[in-house]
Amino acid sequence: MATREVAIGSSVGLHARPASIFVQAATATGVAVTIAKAGGNPVDARSILGVMALGAKNGEVVTLSADGDGADAALDSLVALLERDLDAE
Amino acid sequence: MSELHATLSGIGVSAGVAVGPLVIVSPPLTAPPNEAPTTDAAAASQQVRDTLKAVADGLLAKAANADAHAKPILEAGAMMAGDPGLAGAIDTQLQTGKGITNAVAAAVDEYCAMFESLGGYMAERVTDLKDVRDRTVARLLGQAEPGVPSLTTPSILAAVDLAPAETATLSTETCLGIITSAGGPTSHTAILAAQLGIPAIVQAAGILDVPTGTTVALDGGVGEIIVDPSAEEQQMLQDRKARREKALAAGSGKGMTKDGHPIQLLANIGTAADARKAAVQDVEGVGLFRSEFLFLDRDTAPTVEEQTATYTEVFEAFGDRKVVIRTLDAGADKPLAFADLGHEENPALGRRGIRLGAVRTDLLDDQLQALANAQKATGANLWVMAPMIATRQEASWFAERVRGIGLPKVGVMIEVPAAALRSFDVLSEVDFASLGTNDLGQYTMAADRMQGELSALLDIWQPALLDIIFYACDGGAKTGHPVGVCGESGGDPLMALVLAGLGVSSLSMAPSKVRAVRTALALHDLAQCQQMAAAARASVGPKEAREVVLSMADPVLHDLL
């Protein structure tokens, strides 16, 4: 199991547009990635409803996890995405 | 004459004539309670996934043709329909043996409950989720998806009422007219139709019984609908349309009565994009800039810098023309994630408008600072007013804050009858007032604006409302400070004459209505307007008031309605 921790870079949090960009990117990796807040249950990173319901705010740290082939590369690309302020782009 | 031929009537809310095929907007279907239980969960699961895919594809196809405002709403819906988490939650429901549409409804309702508990932005997504549910349930039942279908030929839409998301996708090219069986003159549909200049009628009983595809003619000025019109009837309506165009083409420039008494003609706007569109029209400025759009749909309050940038954009569009802005008007019915004062039993009577501003002075002061910055940068002719003022003390409190920050003109909205009755006191503290006739009607008649069944009480011709407006103008005149109108009533050419006669000095409306109002004013002397106002106030009811004023008006005015 590969995991990464990253602080949300988007100023509005992982919401609205940033959430859809993230979910689209997670789906595009083809890997089953989960996302969780500290102490919370992991949710499917390909589920817009699950990701929005996390309510991860700007600066909050989330944990990404995945298994199998391509897991590390997928997580690295998603970490790089979450670090950016997606709402401002 | 065919057996379909009939004449229906409703309340005209957006003037103009249209003829075209009727398209009925299907109402949402609910999951049937007596549905057969699911026995083959795997097969049902596949069927649900195929259906969700079809719903998502349909929304994406609509998004491809939608404008910048509607596009993200539709794309977000498509993404929800394609959500693997949602499909999984439906599977869980199917495994308990629930019928297929009931499983969809139960899974969506779970998400809705979760989102509602999160509040703010998330709670607003519930509308999108329910839309996905209704589309999916309809498809599973073998019915057409609810809501406005993609119009391939120009058509007239009929519905119980249209939701904001539905009206977001309308275009003047394909939507010739709108008819609703519910809704009131101040409903969202009515306001939007007027803004777009689409002829519209609300409260038209019987329209939903007319089959889709039937040719229908409507006159949005008088509220008349002819089902399957004869050639003569179509010609009559077209003639009326031509006379209307001719009358409208006559005038331009500043608003005034025939004898030269000035009545400023201003535009109601809600966004910077509205401002750019309105600024190129023949209007004397902005009479109501609703600032809410800067605050809605977000988790944190807009910064002073962000607000300054938007206000600067609006002021630049209008140059030295007057711009009246209303400070933030939010409350329990228009909740803000960052300024939630909690649930209220009666939001219309609760802590909205200046009552919220008084608790969250940080929000108000930031907004005033941004307005002052933008005014300084542009030299705009800026007038700032507060919503929901009820007393002289509130007016004085607000005026002190606005003047303290260096803004030149301060005013109040008069929507509360108390402020209208004591307008001399209230206007002694400020430079101007603007009558919000929609809310003033709601509070005068104790009738909810959102309750279509009560629309008769909310008729702008109610003599009690005219009396209240008279008192507001009378008090204003004694202070020498102007009183304008920025409710929907200001855009009605006939009512505009009465308002002028009652002493109103400016009328603010959807820009598409300005031409008709300018023409109406130019046809009458101020003395005639005053006689009309007196006759309307002397009437026993709204119907009688309108009739007597119409009988006193110049015949050309009939063509403007």
Side-chain angles (χ1 to χ4, degrees):
Chain A
M1 171 78 72
T3 63
R4 300 283 188 282
E5 288 196 344
V6 56
I8 301 296
S10 290
S11 49
V12 299
L14 197 48
H15 249 180
R17 207 166 144 263
S20 12
I21 294 171
F22 171 71
V23 169
Q24 278 164 354
T27 309
T29 63
V31 177
V33 180
T34 62
I35 177 169
K37 290 209 295 190
N41 288 326
V43 300
D44 189 341
R46 295 167 300 184
S47 165
I48 183 71
L49 297 170
V51 169
M52 288 202 305
L54 271 186
K57 298 193 170 57
N58 171 252
E60 211 165 345
V61 174
V62 294
T63 305
L64 302 179
S65 313
D67 263 326
D69 285 350
D72 282 303
L75 293 186
D76 287 339
S77 68
L78 293 175
V79 164
L81 189 73
L82 287 181
E83 282 172 339
R84 289 167 21 207
D85 185 358
L86 298 170
D87 200 48
E89 290 174 13
Chain B
M1 197 133 298
S2 87
E3 59 189 67
L4 276 174
H5 186 274
T7 303
L8 304 173
S9 65
I11 303 171
V13 290
S14 180
V17 168
V19 182
L22 189 71
V23 171
I24 304 263
V25 179
S26 332
L29 299 164
T30 48
N34 56 352
E35 192 176 29
T38 297
T39 48
D40 185 345
S45 167
Q46 190 55 48
Q47 195 189 344
V48 164
R49 281 176 161 72
D50 293 345
T51 308
L52 286 169
K53 173 88 172 47
V55 169
D57 289 347
L59 289 169
L60 284 178
K62 278 191 173 204
N65 298 320
D67 65 19
H69 173 66
K71 205 176 167 102
I73 299 177
L74 296 163
E75 285 175 348
M79 208 157 172
M80 288 178 185
D83 192 314
L86 177 61
I90 298 171
D91 285 347
T92 308
Q93 296 290 338
L94 288 170
Q95 277 148 18
T96 68
K98 270 206 181 71
I100 192 160
T101 60
N102 281 283
V104 170
V108 170
D109 288 349
E110 265 180 23
Y111 274 109
C112 289
M114 183 163 46
F115 281 17
E116 267 160 5
S117 73
L118 290 168
Y121 171 84
M122 298 304 292
E124 284 163 27
R125 300 285 75 73
V126 166
T127 316
D128 306 342
L129 254 176
K130 286 186 173 164
D131 182 58
V132 167
R133 175 197 65 196
D134 293 343
R135 290 176 188 281
T136 311
V137 167
R139 275 186 181 266
L140 286 169
L141 294 171
Q143 303 287 322
E145 285 189 14
V148 179
S150 301
L151 299 174
T152 46
T153 52
S155 309
I156 292 172
L157 283 180
V160 175
D161 200 358
L162 294 173
E166 292 172 320
T167 49
T169 61
L170 293 182
S171 97
T172 48
E173 280 156 37
T174 50
C175 181
L176 300 172
I178 299 173
I179 306 172
T180 67
S181 63
T186 60
S187 69
H188 181 82
T189 307
I191 291 170
L192 184 105
Q195 267 170 9
L196 293 175
I198 298 175
I201 295 175
V202 300
Q203 297 272 312
I207 188 63
L208 298 179
D209 300 329
V210 178
T212 282
T214 310
T215 300
V216 167
L218 75 94
D219 184 330
V222 296
E224 185 184 55
I225 300 156
I226 308 173
V227 180
D228 193 24
S230 66
E232 294 80 46
E233 284 165 334
Q234 293 200 30
Q235 191 55 50
M236 182 193 81
L237 285 176
Q238 292 303 341
D239 289 348
R240 204 186 284 171
K241 187 179 177 181
R243 285 201 305 273
R244 178 182 152 78
E245 290 302 321
K246 186 168 163 248
L248 287 178
S252 66
K254 289 187 175 180
M256 61 182 78
T257 57
K258 195 174 171 182
D259 53 336
H261 175 73
I263 304 282
Q264 277 186 336
L265 299 175
L266 308 165
N268 288 348
I269 62 169
T271 64
D274 284 355
R276 285 190 297 274
K277 275 190 227 164
V280 298
Q281 310 271 335
D282 188 3
V283 297
E284 293 172 63
V286 172
L288 173 63
F289 174 22
R290 305 180 181 93
S291 55
E292 286 78 67
F293 84 99
L294 274 163
F295 296 83
L296 297 173
D297 271 345
R298 49 190 298 159
D299 297 325
T300 52
T303 62
V304 172
E305 292 71 31
E306 184 185 345
Q307 292 189 60
T308 303
T310 305
Y311 299 146
T312 302
E313 205 180 322
V314 172
F315 298 165
E316 278 173 349
F318 279 91
D320 58 1
R321 283 181 282 176
K322 162 181 179 179
V323 175
V324 182
I325 185 167
R326 177 177 72 191
T327 57
L328 178 61
D329 187 12
D333 61 331
K334 285 183 267 184
L336 299 176
F338 48 88
D340 190 356
L341 301 181
H343 172 77
E344 292 185 331
E345 291 296 333
N346 273 315
L349 303 181
R351 288 191 286 177
R352 54 170 289 202
I354 196 64
R355 301 166 183 183
L356 174 67
V359 184
R360 291 296 305 272
T361 48
D362 54 324
L363 292 177
L364 180 62
D365 289 343
D366 275 0
Q367 185 171 29
L368 294 177
Q369 186 60 57
L371 287 167
N373 295 348
Q375 197 273 335
K376 212 170 174 186
T378 57
N381 181 6
L382 175 63
W383 302 44
V384 182
M385 63 182 179
M388 282 298 282
I389 293 288
T391 66
R392 177 171 185 158
Q393 288 70 28
E394 287 172 347
S396 156
W397 180 85
F398 180 72
E400 209 169 288
R401 280 191 121 73
V402 176
R403 291 183 182 130
I405 215 152
L407 285 163
K409 288 275 188 187
V410 57
V412 296
M413 289 282 291
I414 295 187
E415 302 147 288
V416 181
L421 294 171
R422 304 290 299 192
S423 66
F424 175 80
D425 274 308
V426 169
L427 274 150
S428 296
E429 299 289 344
V430 294
D431 306 309
F432 71 100
S434 185
L435 298 161
T437 47
N438 302 349
D439 270 332
L440 189 56
Q442 151 165 288
Y443 295 129
T444 299
M445 305 306 289
D448 189 338
R449 278 170 65 185
M450 299 305 143
Q451 175 52 266
E453 300 287 321
L454 298 179
S455 66
L457 288 173
L458 293 164
D459 191 321
I460 54 172
W461 292 91
Q462 282 287 356
L465 178 58
L466 300 178
D467 280 350
I468 289 271
I469 295 172
F470 170 80
Y471 295 129
C473 292
D474 191 46
K478 291 190 176 114
T479 63
H481 295 164
V483 177
V485 164
C486 62
E488 291 303 308
S489 65
D492 176 328
L494 194 59
M495 177 52 81
L497 301 175
V498 172
L499 293 172
L502 289 170
V504 163
S505 62
S506 67
L507 298 168
S508 191
M509 63 201 84
S512 65
K513 296 188 169 184
V514 168
R515 284 200 307 162
V517 171
R518 178 189 291 116
T519 304
L521 289 169
L523 287 167
H524 302 87
D525 289 333
L526 180 62
Q528 281 177 288
C529 295
Q530 286 164 342
Q531 285 158 11
M532 289 174 178
R537 288 185 63 212
S539 300
V540 294
K543 189 165 168 283
E544 292 81 358
R546 187 175 188 279
E547 274 169 9
V548 70
V549 172
L550 192 58
S551 72
M552 297 164 78
D554 187 287
V556 174
L557 188 119
H558 291 247
D559 297 329
L560 296 174
L561 300 175

